[in-house]
Protein backbone atom coordinates (compact mmCIF):
# COMPACT_ATOMS: atom_id res chain seq x y z
CA UNK A 1 0.00 0.00 0.00
CA UNK A 2 3.04 2.27 -0.17
CA UNK A 3 3.84 4.86 -2.79
CA UNK A 4 7.23 3.57 -3.90
CA UNK A 5 8.93 2.85 -7.20
CA UNK A 6 11.90 1.26 -8.93
CA UNK A 7 14.35 3.27 -11.06
CA UNK A 8 17.64 2.18 -12.63
CA UNK A 9 19.88 5.02 -11.47
CA UNK A 10 18.23 7.39 -8.98
CA UNK A 11 19.52 6.96 -5.43
CA UNK A 12 17.37 5.06 -2.95
CA UNK A 13 15.22 7.44 -0.95
CA UNK A 14 14.85 9.96 -3.78
CA UNK A 15 11.35 11.40 -4.02
CA UNK A 16 9.88 11.75 -7.50
CA UNK A 17 6.60 13.30 -8.66
CA UNK A 18 5.12 10.95 -11.26
CA UNK A 19 2.39 12.43 -13.47
CA UNK A 20 0.14 10.36 -15.71
CA UNK A 21 0.22 12.27 -19.00
CA UNK A 22 -3.12 10.84 -20.11
CA UNK A 23 -5.22 12.15 -17.22
CA UNK A 24 -3.01 14.64 -15.35
CA UNK A 25 -3.06 12.77 -12.02
CA UNK A 26 0.18 12.82 -10.04
CA UNK A 27 1.69 11.22 -6.94
CA UNK A 28 4.98 11.46 -5.09
CA UNK A 29 6.84 8.15 -4.82
CA UNK A 30 10.06 7.17 -3.06
CA UNK A 31 12.66 5.15 -4.95
CA UNK A 32 13.34 1.93 -3.03
CA UNK A 33 14.27 -0.62 -5.72
CA UNK A 34 16.20 -1.08 -8.98
CA UNK A 35 14.56 -1.62 -12.34
CA UNK A 36 12.76 -1.75 -14.68
CA UNK A 37 14.92 -3.84 -16.95
CA UNK A 38 12.62 -3.70 -19.96
CA UNK A 39 13.69 -1.49 -22.86
CA UNK A 40 11.66 1.70 -23.12
CA UNK A 41 10.49 1.71 -19.50
CA UNK A 42 11.87 4.30 -17.10
CA UNK A 43 10.09 3.63 -13.80
CA UNK A 44 8.03 0.89 -12.14
CA UNK A 45 5.50 2.04 -9.55
CA UNK A 46 3.68 -0.01 -6.92
CA UNK A 47 0.06 -1.03 -7.52
CA UNK A 48 -1.03 1.60 -4.95
CA UNK A 49 0.76 4.35 -6.90
CA UNK A 50 -0.62 3.07 -10.22
CA UNK A 51 -4.14 3.09 -8.79
CA UNK A 52 -3.71 6.67 -7.54
CA UNK A 53 -2.44 7.61 -11.00
CA UNK A 54 -5.52 6.03 -12.58
CA UNK A 55 -4.00 3.18 -14.59
CA UNK A 56 -3.08 -0.48 -14.50
CA UNK A 57 -0.51 -1.93 -16.83
CA UNK A 58 1.39 0.68 -18.83
CA UNK A 59 0.97 4.41 -19.38
CA UNK A 60 3.04 7.41 -20.36
CA UNK A 61 4.29 9.48 -17.43
CA UNK A 62 6.40 12.54 -16.67
CA UNK A 63 8.93 12.51 -13.83
CA UNK A 64 10.11 15.38 -11.64
CA UNK A 65 12.87 14.66 -9.12
CA UNK A 66 12.02 16.49 -5.87
CA UNK A 67 15.17 15.85 -3.84
Amino acid sequence: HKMTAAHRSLPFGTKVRVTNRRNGRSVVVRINDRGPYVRGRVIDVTPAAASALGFSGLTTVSLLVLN
Side-chain angles (χ1 to χ4, degrees), residues 3-53:
M3 299 287 189
T4 61
H7 190 274
R8 285 185 214 125
S9 60
L10 289 173
F12 290 150
T14 300
K15 290 185 181 177
V16 179
R17 178 173 302 281
V18 180
T19 303
N20 183 337
R21 296 183 70 183
R22 293 184 179 161
N23 63 18
R25 290 185 186 181
S26 67
V27 296
V28 175
V29 298
R30 185 178 51 83
I31 303 300
N32 72 338
D33 199 3
R34 291 288 168 231
Y37 297 106
V38 176
R39 178 180 277 206
R41 295 186 193 171
V42 177
I43 195 167
D44 277 343
V45 298
T46 59
S51 178
L53 288 166

